Structure formats: structure tokens, C-alpha cells
Amino acid sequence: MNLKLFGSSLIVAGTALGAGMLAIPMVLAQFGLLWGTIFMLFIWAGTTYAALLLLEASCKVGGGASMNAIARETLGKGGQFVTNGLMYALLVCLLMAYIIGAGDLVQKVLSAVGFELSNSTSQIGFTVLVGILVSAGTGAVDKLNRVLFTGMILSLIFTLFALTPNVSFDGLADVVNKDKVELIKTSSVLFTSFGFMVVIPSLVTYNKQASKTQLRNMIVVGSTIPLVCYLLWLFAVVGNLSAQQLVQFANVSELISVLSQQYRGLEFILSLFTGLALLTSFLGVAMALYDQNSDLLKANKPAVYVTTFILPLLGALFAAEHFLAILGYAGFILVFLAVFVPISMTLKVRREPVVDNGVYQAGGGTMGVSMIFLFGCFLLYAQVV
């Protein structure tokens, strides 16, 4: 087994598999398990193929540690400027969210053992320490992510084992909401749940010696892991709680609270999963932004470190109330960055003569690119409908 490729797949999965998965049953259960599953498979297929287009563009330009490098080679200065703008807007917003969530989690954990810290101190400490690990390089992130991801999956397995024996098949077919327009509106939640494409350039550079088949499998396996986890979690929760109950929950905390009342110790396990999911997502997103800054600034590590983490940290410390409004646009930004930008890059590199037949190219040809363009239009429609 190639541990670098396996670890890279886990980085893809860990970046996608965030704490937001806990909310998926509340979003999809009202439409019934069948429609929820079909729609999730549709979103997964679209995002995975778009990621393979980005993989093709990255490979054909000789690899690139960041979206900036690939955009520079394929889209020119104008496209590079637009891509960088979208990339920074998305990554800074996401890192702000993760720092806010992690600071709150660190504060609660330390408070439970009798060590009190302010929320701002917790946020600063988390960002500084994890930022140092990110600056150590993709290899260090890979090794740490393997440990964290293992713990996250074990906590999920434990939860599923606790829930599955009491699954009631009677509730799996319940449909509370038959409005398919409302189902389409859930696209943004599901799409961001597979938002891993930002790490692809870094992983292509990290796996320079890998074959095109290995790189393709790295992406497909990495995207399939969260798909399986989402579907198992959806099945287990819908089998234990009715769709009518799930629709009434205002947030994930209420869901965890109800499940914890039925199953002793589950609150700790789900909290552990949430913390690990947040950390693995932070590592993937921070790695992408760090490599982006490293390629763009051509500066030493301390300078890249500061430019990567100072803005998200300041945003988390001083602008959290405004950030919540900004976060609503993150899914909109991601559609352009994860679908339309890779399409543009791929069309550009396919116009160039093929020099090396061993370089990866996504299947589907013009039809595949056309279908993924329509997929992107569908996601935009779902954002504004």
C-alpha cells in the first residue's frame, strides 16, 4: 500500500467530512430516505467529476502547489486574478469559521478540567499551534491527519453501532415534505459537504511520482469515504428518530441532546467526532491557503505563516458577528471555484497538444464537460431559487 496516496485520500475525505455532516439528517430526512440518498449521490457524482477536471488541469501544467500556479499557466493574468480572489474569499471565510468553532471547543474542554481560558486566548492558541503544524508541510499534515481521521472514523463507527440495533424500518419510508423545489434548496448544504477540491493542487505536488490511475483513485476514494459516512449516518438517525422530530430541531445541539438521552455516553462520542471533524477540515483548508500564499508571495516560511493565519484570526476575534452573513455566500463562491474554474482550466489545457500520454485526463470528453457545466448552473439556481 502506498501510504502517501492513502494519506492523501484521507486528507481529501477529512477536508470534506466536517462537523456539518451531523446536520444532514435534519436537512434530508423530511424528503424521505430514498430521495435523500438519490440527491446526495447526484451531488457527489457532480463534485467528484469536477474535482477530476481540476486534477487533469493540475497534472497537465506539470503540477502546481496552489490554484494560483494552475490559473497562472492556464487562464492568464485575468483568470489568475479572479481565481485568487475566489480562493481567498472562500478559504479565509472557512478558516474564520473553524477558528471560531475550535476556540469555543478548546475553551469548553479546558474548562471541564478546571483550566479557564478566555475565548480569544483559546482561538489564538489553537491558530498558532495548528498553524505551525501546517507550515511544516503537506507531509506533516498527512501524518497528523491519518491519526485524527482514524479517531474520527472510530467515533463514528461507535455511534453507528449504538444506533443501528434500534433502527426502526417503519420510519425509513416517511416523507414529510414532497416539495422537490425544497429538496433542490438543500443543494448548497450537500455541495459544501463535498468541498474538498481546494487541497487537490497541494496533493498533486505531494504525489509527484504517482501514476495517473493512482491520482484518479486518490480523488475517487477520498470523495467516496464521506459519501459512505453521510449515508450511514442518515440511515442510522432516520431509523431512530422520525422525520417529524428531525424537522423540528433548530440546530445540531438539539439532535445530539435527544440522541444522548436515549443512548448513554453518546454525547461525548459525538462531541469528539465534531471536534476531530473540525480539526481535519481546518488542516486541509489551511494547507491549501498556506500553499497558495507560498506560491504567490515567494517569501520565507514566517512571512507565509503570518499572511496565511493573521486575517482569519483577526476576523474570528473581531468580526464574528459580521462573518455569519459572509458565510452564507461561501457556497455561492464554491460553485465558481469548484465547478466553473476547473472547467475553464480543463478546456484550456485540452487545446494544447498532448506531449505525455501518461498524464491524467478525465473521461467523458466534451459531453462530460457540458454535463458538469449544467451541474454548476443547477447549483447556482439552487442558491438563488
Side-chain angles (χ1 to χ4, degrees):
M1 178 186 292
N2 188 319
L3 289 179
K4 283 182 66 175
L5 283 164
F6 178 69
S8 297
S9 290
L10 295 187
I11 290 177
V12 169
T15 304
L17 193 60
M21 80 158 278
L22 299 180
I24 284 178
M26 295 189 297
V27 173
L28 290 181
Q30 58 186 307
F31 305 104
L33 190 63
L34 176 61
W35 276 107
T37 300
I38 291 173
F39 199 60
M40 190 182 295
L41 287 170
F42 168 70
I43 299 295
W44 166 80
T47 52
T48 301
Y49 187 77
L52 293 177
L53 292 181
L54 178 59
L55 173 64
E56 176 184 339
S58 181
C59 291
K60 286 187 175 179
V61 299
S66 68
M67 288 288 284
N68 174 67
I70 305 171
R72 181 175 60 241
E73 296 296 324
T74 59
L75 303 179
K77 289 186 178 180
Q80 181 185 4
F81 178 79
V82 172
T83 300
N84 284 339
L86 292 170
M87 190 77 168
Y88 278 105
L90 177 66
L91 297 186
V92 170
C93 283
L94 291 177
L95 286 183
M96 284 172 62
Y98 296 146
I99 291 171
I100 292 169
D104 182 59
L105 188 62
V106 170
Q107 185 183 34
K108 288 180 179 178
V109 170
L110 292 178
S111 178
V113 296
F115 194 76
E116 298 294 336
L117 276 183
S118 68
N119 195 41
S120 59
T121 303
S122 300
Q123 291 176 1
I124 293 171
F126 171 83
T127 305
V128 170
L129 291 176
V130 181
I132 291 173
L133 291 170
V134 171
S135 66
T138 305
V141 173
D142 174 19
K143 292 178 177 62
L144 175 60
N145 187 75
R146 292 180 205 176
V147 177
L148 297 174
F149 196 86
T150 300
M152 183 170 63
I153 292 300
L154 287 176
S155 63
L156 179 60
I157 290 173
F158 184 90
T159 303
L160 293 175
F161 268 113
L163 296 178
T164 302
N166 295 310
V167 166
S168 171
F169 291 92
D170 295 336
L172 295 179
D174 285 350
V175 178
V176 176
N177 190 344
K178 296 183 179 181
D179 188 346
K180 296 303 182 287
V181 174
E182 290 297 319
L183 176 62
I184 289 173
K185 289 181 181 179
T186 67
S187 298
S188 58
V189 175
L190 298 180
F191 181 58
T192 52
S193 297
F194 292 102
F196 59 82
M197 53 75 60
V198 294
V199 302
I200 292 176
S202 300
L203 296 180
V204 170
T205 301
Y206 182 51
N207 294 280
K208 287 182 178 178
Q209 306 305 319
S211 68
K212 60 181 182 180
T213 301
Q214 288 175 322
L215 290 172
R216 180 203 63 201
N217 292 343
M218 173 188 77
I219 300 298
V220 174
V221 171
S223 68
T224 303
I225 291 172
L227 171 68
V228 173
C229 292
Y230 294 154
L231 291 176
L232 289 175
W233 174 243
L234 177 64
F235 172 82
V237 173
V238 173
N240 279 265
L241 300 173
S242 68
Q244 288 84 354
Q245 283 180 283
L246 290 167
V247 171
Q248 294 174 1
F249 294 151
N251 51 54
V252 174
S253 298
E254 292 185 18
L255 171 62
I256 294 177
S257 176
V258 171
L259 289 175
S260 300
Q261 292 173 11
Q262 297 183 17
Y263 304 95
R264 187 176 180 182
L266 205 56
E267 182 174 6
F268 171 77
I269 298 298
L270 289 175
S271 298
L272 177 64
F273 174 87
T274 302
L276 292 174
L278 187 150
L279 187 51
T280 55
S281 295
F282 180 91
L283 286 172
V285 172
M287 179 185 71
L289 184 57
Y290 184 90
D291 287 342
Q292 178 87 349
N293 283 330
S294 179
D295 178 71
L296 187 64
L297 301 175
K298 307 295 183 185
N300 56 32
K301 281 193 173 184
V304 176
Y305 176 91
V306 171
T307 53
T308 299
F309 296 105
I310 188 66
L311 184 58
L313 180 58
L314 290 175
L317 291 173
F318 301 113
E321 65 279 5
H322 301 295
F323 165 72
L324 294 177
I326 297 172
L327 189 61
Y329 298 100
F332 193 79
I333 297 170
L334 186 60
V335 174
F336 286 95
L337 196 60
V339 179
F340 294 118
V341 169
I343 288 175
S344 301
M345 291 175 171
T346 303
L347 291 176
K348 173 63 177 177
V349 296
R350 287 185 180 180
R351 295 193 192 105
E352 303 296 328
V354 178
V355 178
D356 182 2
N357 290 327
V359 176
Y360 176 76
Q361 178 164 321
T366 304
M367 178 63 72
V369 174
S370 300
M371 293 299 293
I372 210 64
F373 176 80
L374 293 176
F375 175 72
C377 293
F378 170 82
L379 292 174
L380 288 181
Y381 170 75
Q383 296 275 352
V384 300
V385 66

